[in-house]
Amino acid sequence: MVISMPRSKNQDKMSLISVHVPKKMLEELDELVRRGIFPNRSEAIRAALRDLLYKEVFKTKPPKEEEKEEDLPISLLKGR
C-alpha cells in the first residue's frame, strides 16, 4: 500500500522498497505503531534496518534515540 503524502527534503533522499512479511509479523509491527512506540510502519522498519546495519556491518551499537544521528556512512558498505 502506497499513500501519497507531501514530501520533505529528507524523504527525497529515500527509496521505496517492497518486502513480504508473515502476517503475524505485520500484526506485531502494527501493535508497535498502535502503542505509539513508532509513528508508522516505515519508521519502525527503518529503525530495525538501522540497528541491523550498525550491528552486522559497522560492528557497533546504534546511537541512542536522544542523540542526533547523521546519515549512515554508506561508503563503508562498498564491496559487500
Side-chain angles (χ1 to χ4, degrees):
M1 173 174 70
V2 177
I3 299 173
S4 294
M5 296 183 70
R7 295 174 63 98
S8 70
K9 287 183 180 181
N10 203 20
Q11 287 175 320
D12 286 337
K13 297 178 185 178
M14 295 189 194
S15 297
L16 177 66
I17 63 169
S18 297
V19 296
H20 290 94
V21 297
K23 185 176 181 179
K24 180 65 176 164
M25 193 179 290
L26 184 59
E27 290 169 354
E28 297 295 339
L29 182 65
D30 286 341
E31 178 64 16
L32 295 175
V33 173
R34 187 191 68 73
R35 291 173 37 201
I37 296 171
F38 293 98
N40 53 53
R41 289 175 177 173
S42 291
E43 286 296 326
I45 293 167
R46 276 192 290 275
L49 181 56
R50 188 171 41 249
D51 289 352
L52 175 68
L53 290 174
Y54 272 102
K55 179 182 174 190
E56 298 298 329
V57 177
F58 307 124
K59 305 296 186 198
T60 185
K61 291 183 180 180
K64 295 179 182 173
E65 277 186 46
E66 61 271 7
E67 296 174 355
K68 183 168 178 132
E69 182 177 326
E70 298 296 324
D71 291 337
L72 289 175
I74 298 300
S75 61
L76 295 177
L77 296 174
K78 289 181 180 177
R80 288 195 173 253

